[in-house]
């Protein structure tokens, strides 16, 4: 099944956008990319689709607001996250406001997902927000979590949210088109793996390192796909740099990689 077909038949979507997309090198919000992503989310909502957003960027934005460098201590990263989360949610709120759509913030920790009661409460909150025509924007609670109790990356958080709410499709918006056979041949269309029905060791070995502004890179996306496909949720990796990053998936020639649900 192609990404186009999956997009058409899916009802419930989780859309994850990474720090490398939503954050400029200056530490500000990339408003052009945010505008394009929101426009396509609104397009899905107008088609009566359910959409949940998982958004990275709090720490990167916080570092910019507080004039901090790299190599922060844990407590400094937590402070940056607390400051940056305000900028992040303000950006989402202001962009969706143009379409008269409200947003709500959910900050979750791994313990919230693992605990049965907390997980139930989170699911109920998400369902009600969707019922109220309010887009849930979820991020990890970086201001209180530590290295021992972290998702590790929002790709993993998005996958666990997808499993928790029984989503049909997880779209991972990245700064690359998808999984490449050879990372050194970025611009060759034939180098892109368009469809994966089984995650083997050879597929895992194709993953490279994380980007400067993100934490997970391609390996975390593959791990996220492993979580999702077992729960009958397909995963699409595609570039968020396009003018219509989600809508363009309806075109069969749009570059993307789809992990098919089993």
């Amino acid at each position: 099944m192609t990404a186009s077909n999956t997009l058409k038949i899916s009802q419930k979507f989780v859309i994850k956008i990474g720090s490398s997309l939503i954050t400029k090198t200056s530490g500000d919000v990339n408003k052009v990319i945010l505008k394009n992503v929101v426009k396509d989310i609104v397009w899905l909502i107008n088609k009566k689709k359910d959409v949940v957003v998982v958004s990275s960027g709090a720490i990167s934005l916080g570092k910019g607001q507080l004039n901090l460098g790299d190599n922060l201590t844990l407590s400094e990263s937590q402070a940056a996250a607390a400051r940056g989360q305000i900028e992040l949610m303000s950006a989402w709120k202001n962009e969706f406001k143009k379409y008269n759509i409200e947003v709500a913030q959910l900050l979750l920790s791994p313990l919230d997902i693992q605990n049965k009661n907390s997980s139930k409460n989170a699911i109920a909150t998400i369902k009600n927000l969707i019922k109220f025509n309010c887009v849930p924007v979820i991020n990890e609670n970086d201001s209180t979590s530590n290295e021992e109790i972290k998702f590790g990356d929002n790709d993993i958080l998005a996958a666990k949210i997808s499993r928790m709410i029984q989503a049909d499709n997880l779209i991972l918006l990245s700064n690359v088109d998808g999984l490449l056979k050879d990372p050194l041949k970025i611009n060759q269309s034939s180098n892109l793996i368009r469809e994966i029905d089984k995650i083997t060791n050879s597929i895992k070995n194709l993953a490279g390192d994380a980007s400067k502004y993100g934490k997970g890179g391609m390996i975390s996306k593959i791990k996220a796909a492993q979580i999702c496909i077992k729960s009958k949720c397909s995963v699409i990796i595609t570039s968020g740099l396009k003018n219509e990053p989600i809508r363009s998936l309806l075109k069969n020639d749009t570059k993307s990689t789809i992990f098919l649900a089993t």
Side-chain angles (χ1 to χ4, degrees):
M1 183 179 291
T2 64
S4 173
N5 290 336
T6 303
L7 197 69
K8 290 176 183 176
I9 66 173
S10 296
Q11 172 59 37
K12 190 178 295 183
F13 291 84
V14 174
I15 297 170
K16 184 262 179 178
I17 180 168
S19 296
S20 59
L21 282 179
I22 204 168
T23 308
K24 291 182 178 180
T25 55
S26 61
D28 297 317
V29 173
N30 192 323
K31 293 183 179 179
V32 173
I33 287 178
L34 184 64
K35 175 183 176 182
N36 291 336
V37 171
V38 168
K39 178 179 64 178
D40 275 9
I41 291 174
V42 172
W43 172 76
L44 284 173
I45 291 172
N46 288 339
K47 288 187 170 293
K48 308 301 181 184
K49 307 290 188 179
D50 298 335
V51 180
V52 174
V53 174
V54 174
S55 177
S56 302
I59 293 177
S60 296
L61 292 172
K63 287 196 297 184
Q65 293 296 319
L66 298 174
N67 297 313
L68 301 176
D70 297 323
N71 302 317
L72 302 181
T73 65
L74 174 60
S75 60
E76 288 172 339
S77 293
Q78 291 171 330
R83 176 64 184 90
Q85 191 65 30
I86 295 174
E87 300 300 314
L88 185 64
M89 285 308 302
S90 293
W92 283 107
K93 176 186 175 183
N94 291 338
E95 198 58 44
F96 272 110
K97 189 176 181 180
K98 297 175 184 178
Y99 301 92
N100 296 315
I101 294 176
E102 296 290 334
V103 299
Q105 170 185 271
L106 280 83
L107 297 176
L108 299 176
S109 71
L111 296 179
D112 293 322
I113 303 295
Q114 295 165 12
N115 182 276
K116 189 174 182 180
N117 288 332
S118 296
S119 178
K120 277 185 176 181
N121 290 338
I123 292 169
T125 298
I126 292 169
K127 285 183 176 179
N128 276 311
L129 288 171
I130 292 172
K131 183 175 72 173
F132 301 150
N133 299 314
C134 184
V135 177
V137 179
I138 302 174
N139 196 1
E140 181 167 3
N141 194 353
D142 286 314
S143 61
T144 58
S145 60
N146 58 52
E147 295 302 325
E148 294 180 354
I149 49 167
K150 285 180 71 70
F151 290 105
D153 179 78
N154 270 355
D155 293 325
I156 305 302
L157 170 60
K160 292 188 175 183
I161 293 294
S162 299
R163 182 176 62 187
M164 194 168 70
I165 67 171
Q166 298 180 316
D168 302 305
N169 198 298
L170 167 60
I171 299 177
L172 298 172
L173 296 177
S174 180
N175 52 6
V176 295
D177 293 317
L179 183 61
L180 302 176
K181 300 173 188 174
D182 185 347
L184 299 178
K185 300 178 181 178
I186 296 174
N187 296 321
Q188 295 185 17
S189 296
S190 60
N191 188 38
L192 181 69
I193 303 176
R194 292 188 173 272
E195 186 177 303
I196 296 171
D197 56 11
K198 186 177 181 181
I199 299 175
T200 62
N201 286 332
S202 60
I203 291 295
K204 294 178 186 177
N205 290 337
L206 294 174
D209 297 326
S211 72
K212 178 180 179 182
Y213 300 102
K215 290 182 290 186
M218 190 57 68
I219 187 62
S220 75
K221 291 172 175 52
I222 293 174
K223 289 178 179 177
Q226 284 183 298
I227 293 170
C228 285
I229 60 178
K230 294 177 182 178
S231 303
K232 301 190 182 303
C233 175
S234 297
V235 176
I236 298 173
I237 303 171
T238 194
S239 173
L241 300 172
K242 297 186 286 288
N243 290 332
E244 295 181 339
I246 300 168
R247 203 177 328 193
S248 65
L249 292 169
L250 289 174
K251 303 174 184 176
N252 288 325
D253 61 346
T254 296
K255 295 178 180 179
S256 66
T257 297
I258 181 169
F259 294 82
L260 298 171
T262 56

